Structure formats: structure tokens, C-alpha cells
Amino acid sequence: MNAHSSKMPQAISILGSTGSIGVNTLDVVRRHPGRYRVLALAAHRSVDVLAGQCAQFDAEFAVIGDASLAGNLAQALADRHCRAQVLAGAEGLAEAATLPDAEIVMAAIVGAAGLTPTILAARAGKKVLLANKESLVIAGHIFMQAARDGGATILPVDSEHNAIFQALPAAFADGLESVGVERIILTASGGPFLDLPVSQLRDVTPSQACKHPNWEMGRKISVDSATLMNKGLELIEAHWLFNAAAEQLEVLIHPQSIVHSMVAYRDGSVLAQLGAPDMRTPIAYALAWPERIEAGVKRLNLAAMTDLSFREPDVQRFPCLKLAVEAMREGENMPVALNAANEVAVQAFLDSRIRFDQIPGLVGRTLERAQRQPVNTVQDILHHDAMARRHAGEIMQTMT
Ligand SMILES: NC(=O)c1ccc[n+]([C@@H]2O[C@H](COP(=O)([O-])OP(=O)(O)OC[C@H]3O[C@@H](n4cnc5c(N)ncnc54)[C@H](OP(=O)(O)O)[C@@H]3O)[C@@H](O)[C@H]2O)c1
């Protein structure tokens, strides 16, 4: 008998339910009726998709981040005869993250916008399924402290961190050295422009940048994968999640996206997690941990795999990776400035206001203007985040 089958369904709040991770989470949840119950679903502006999801999963709460759309959401729910109660704005997101009945919170809002609700879920002692890497990048120590204070369980959803979590022994929290870990190796596909001549990067379009060779993801993370900023953000994420020093973290390009990351041990062993590039595997692992559940994912055909290759990243081609490593080493507010400048730059590129090859320059120049200062509270972080966004906007005006 499944160890879970005699229990009540676990209630889940999904923050960012209309996005790529949110939709994949609902797909896994749908496969396990009786095991999970959708309590709250939250989005920013996608009223119709959100209302449709709430009706389909019989959610109790429908949450819209943009409070001006609360009336539209209520109407869209009524049209679908859905009983969900509407919550709105930052307060609504905070409530969805901390509902007393919610055992599991999927943190899948994109960008720094996810910070406050994700921290609140941790402080409320939830089982937090962490997709919103930006929370850890900009507020790593505050987030990890909130999780300790609240007694939360943090389960990484990012495929690399999920792989590393699977390859580490449970006692890793006492220190990587105490469990014999030498290095954590994050793999990176290299994105759609891995082998494009560098001179052609200036002409690539948003749709080309969002067309990842192996993964289907939201637009922001797709551009981050094309610049390798995504891997830089993931290094900072790993630094906090696994209490790893910068010297213990390494990036390797692995174009096939089959090995999702590795842990190298003192005795020469390297443990890797393999799987099809499908986010439903890490989502299902985090949902059911420490059990394993069916996720609808295509099985690997190992015998048909003739090429699993690894190589060092080219920092000339991917300057964003270097900027992220420097920000991680400097610490304090520098990762906040890095993330904010990157969010501004990626949005500007997606809106065709800057070129792809201008993204690293905009981030780099914003970092040059940031003065290194301690960050102790969420307010400090929001302050530095706003300042870096303003600087990035000003620098962008001067770019041609
Ligand atoms: N996609 C992946 O495969 C993948 C893999 C690893 C990690 N991640 C991480 O997971 C997170 C989500 O990525 P994604 O690809 O799923 O992004 P996405 O497809 O762009 O979806 C983002 C979600 O966040 C919501 N949202 C955006 N801004 C918000 C705000 N201000 N308030 C409330 N909700 C807001 C969006 O709602 P609307 O639809 O209303 O805009 C949407 O539901 C990111 O941190 C990303 O780095 C994603």
C-alpha cells in the first residue's frame, strides 16, 4: 500500500500558477487525485487562465497580484460557476502563502516580485517548493533564516538544485565537508546560442532567445539561459541552499540537458542525477518528498544515448556568468543589484528596447554604480532593488 493512501489530501497553494512551473505543477497534481488538494492559486494579471484553473481544480482562493483586476477575476469566476474567494494585491499573495490549511506552497512567481510571499511561506513553516530562485539570490541569508525560524522544509525545484539535493546525503546541512563533498557541479545547456559566432549575438531576436533547445520555460528564464545569467543566479542559489563556498561550486556546459547536475566527493565518486529535460520530475520529487510519484515524464532511453558531453563555459561569450560570480563573491547588496539590473535588461530586450548583446553591459555598468553595503532586512533589499532598477533605467537611456 502507498504510504500516503490512508492520509488526507495535502492542501497546496501555488503562487505563479499560470506560468510554466505553475502549469507543470498542476499537471502533476492532476495525476494524483486524493493525494493533493488545490487550496489557492495566484497569478499577476492572467485573469482568464487563473479563473479557468480555479474552476478546474475547485480552488478555495483565487489570488490576483494586480489588485486593479480583482473585479474582473470575480466576474470570470462567476462566469465559470466557481466558488473561489478572491484575494488581491500584495496582501492577497501574502495570505495565499500563509493560509493555515496550506501544507505545501509552490513558490513559482518569476523575479523579485516573489520575494515577500516566499519568505512569508518559509516563516510560516510551510513545505516550500522553491522555484523562485530570485528570492535566494537577493535575500539568501534572510530567506534561510526565515526557514530555520519557521521550521520550514525547503525543497528545490530548479532542476539543477533538485538534482544536487538528490545526490547529497541528508546530513549535508551540517556542512558539505562533513559529508565528504568536494565540489558541486552545476550543468548548463548553454542555451540556443552556444555555438553561434559571437559577432552574430547582436542580431538575435527575443523569439530566437526564448526558443531553448531542450526546455520549455517562461520568457525571462529563457533569456537568462541564453545569456547564462541563469547559471550565475543558480550558483548564488546553490551557495545559500547547500551552504557552499564559491570555491566549491563549478559550472560545466552539457548541451544535452540529461545530467541535471552532480556532486563530487572526496573519494573520487561523482554522483549525478539524470532524466529527460522535463520540469515535472523535480516538481514531483519536491511535491512527494521523501516519496516518489509518477510525473508523466518520458523515460530515458539510455541505450540510444551516444553523446553525453561536458565542457567548460566560455566567459567571453557569456560575460553574465562572470558578473554573477563576482557579485556572489562580493556579497551584501551586490547580488540584489545584479538581479535587479538583469530583470530590467531582460525586459528591455524582450520589448526590443536593447539588443541581446547589450544585456551584460547594462548589468555590468549598474553593478559599477552600486556601492557595497550590508543588507539585513527585506526593506534593505527592496531599497537596493529599487535603486539598481533606477540606475539601470538611467544607464539604458545612454545606450545606443
Ligand atoms: N520554467 C522553468 O522551467 C523553470 C525552471 C527552473 C526555475 N524556474 C523559476 O521558476 C520561476 C517561475 O518561472 P516560469 O518560467 O514559470 O515563469 P513564467 O512562465 O513567466 O510565469 C511566472 C508566473 O509568475 C506570475 N507573476 C509574475 N509577476 C508577478 C507578480 N508581480 N505578482 C504575482 N505573480 C506574478 C505570473 O502571472 P501572470 O501569468 O499573471 O503574469 C506567472 O504565473 C522563476 O523564478 C524561474 O527562474 C523556472
Side-chain angles (χ1 to χ4, degrees):
M1 190 171 92
N2 181 318
H4 194 272
S5 57
S6 58
K7 295 185 200 157
M8 296 281 287
Q10 291 175 274
I12 176 165
S13 282
I14 304 178
L15 312 179
S17 67
T18 53
S20 164
I21 293 287
V23 167
N24 276 307
T25 305
L26 285 170
D27 184 87
V28 178
V29 165
R30 187 191 296 120
R31 292 166 192 275
H32 301 278
R35 182 168 184 129
Y36 303 108
R37 166 172 79 90
V38 173
L39 183 63
L41 296 176
H44 186 215
R45 298 183 56 93
S46 302
V47 167
D48 283 333
V49 180
L50 178 62
Q53 291 177 334
C54 287
Q56 191 186 351
F57 288 88
D58 197 20
E60 288 179 36
F61 297 92
V63 191
I64 194 82
D66 181 339
S68 70
L69 296 172
N72 301 41
L73 179 59
Q75 186 59 52
L77 291 167
D79 292 346
R80 291 169 175 80
H81 309 289
C82 176
R83 65 182 181 126
Q85 184 185 329
V86 173
L87 304 174
E91 283 168 21
L93 291 170
E95 194 171 340
T98 55
L99 286 165
D101 284 355
E103 283 175 65
I104 304 174
V105 175
M106 166 56 87
I109 291 174
V110 63
L115 175 66
T116 303
T118 306
I119 287 191
L120 288 173
R123 202 166 279 146
K126 304 299 186 192
K127 177 170 159 179
V128 180
L129 278 43
L130 187 69
N132 176 249
K133 66 188 84 187
E134 295 88 348
S135 287
L136 270 181
V137 170
I138 67 178
H141 65 295
I142 297 174
F143 178 79
M144 295 309 282
Q145 189 59 47
R148 283 190 290 274
D149 292 347
T153 304
I154 307 298
L155 293 160
V157 168
D158 225 344
S159 59
E160 295 77 1
H161 304 74
N162 191 274
I164 294 160
F165 187 77
Q166 294 194 42
L168 282 172
F172 79 83
D174 298 333
L176 290 179
E177 270 150 34
S178 72
V179 291
V181 172
E182 240 172 32
R183 276 168 15 258
I184 286 177
I185 304 158
L186 287 106
T187 52
S189 69
F193 309 133
L194 179 61
D195 296 315
L196 191 74
V198 175
S199 60
Q200 291 180 25
L201 287 177
R202 59 174 289 131
D203 298 323
V204 302
T205 63
S207 64
Q208 288 171 320
C210 289
K211 207 167 172 343
H212 195 281
N214 307 329
W215 296 95
E216 267 182 48
M217 307 184 287
R219 284 163 71 77
K220 192 258 179 185
I221 185 175
S222 295
V223 177
D224 286 347
S225 296
T227 61
L228 244 68
M229 179 60 93
N230 184 47
K231 213 49 52 182
L233 299 178
E234 288 178 6
L235 282 174
I236 305 176
E237 184 184 6
H239 163 67
W240 290 110
L241 269 178
F242 306 119
N243 199 7
E247 302 69 43
Q248 291 173 306
L249 295 167
E250 187 180 327
V251 171
L252 277 184
I253 300 287
H254 166 52
Q256 298 81 17
S257 298
I258 296 296
V259 174
H260 296 306
S261 276
M262 297 175 265
V263 178
Y265 286 87
R266 189 181 291 148
D267 60 4
S269 299
V270 178
L271 299 194
Q273 185 257 350
L274 283 70
D278 187 324
M279 286 309 292
R280 290 175 299 176
T281 294
I283 289 168
Y285 182 83
L287 267 171
W289 178 86
E291 294 176 25
R292 300 252 182 191
I293 55 173
E294 165 60 33
V297 173
K298 204 170 151 218
R299 304 301 191 253
L300 282 185
N301 181 355
L302 289 164
M305 253 171 232
T306 49
D307 183 21
L308 285 186
S309 58
F310 302 92
R311 61 176 126 141
E312 302 229 328
D314 171 359
V315 283
Q316 302 304 325
R317 174 185 293 276
F318 299 117
C320 283
L321 181 60
K322 191 160 166 271
L323 291 171
V325 170
E326 283 165 7
M328 172 170 67
R329 287 182 187 275
E330 288 189 57
E332 311 280 25
N333 58 321
M334 298 313 261
V336 183
L338 173 93
N339 180 69
N342 183 57
E343 286 192 25
V344 170
V346 170
Q347 193 57 54
F349 167 66
L350 287 171
D351 297 342
S352 302
R353 285 181 282 126
I354 63 169
R355 297 189 314 268
F356 181 80
D357 66 340
Q358 291 179 308
I359 295 173
L362 179 50
V363 175
R365 286 175 63 189
T366 308
L367 284 170
E368 280 165 20
R369 269 183 72 173
Q371 284 166 5
R372 194 162 169 268
Q373 279 171 32
V375 281
N376 299 314
T377 64
V378 171
Q379 282 69 31
D380 290 345
I381 287 166
L382 296 177
H383 165 75
H384 287 288
D385 177 89
M387 193 155 61
R389 281 171 202 271
R390 199 178 63 241
H391 288 167
E394 288 165 8
I395 293 163
M396 205 158 53
Q397 302 296 322
T398 68
M399 292 173 83
T400 50

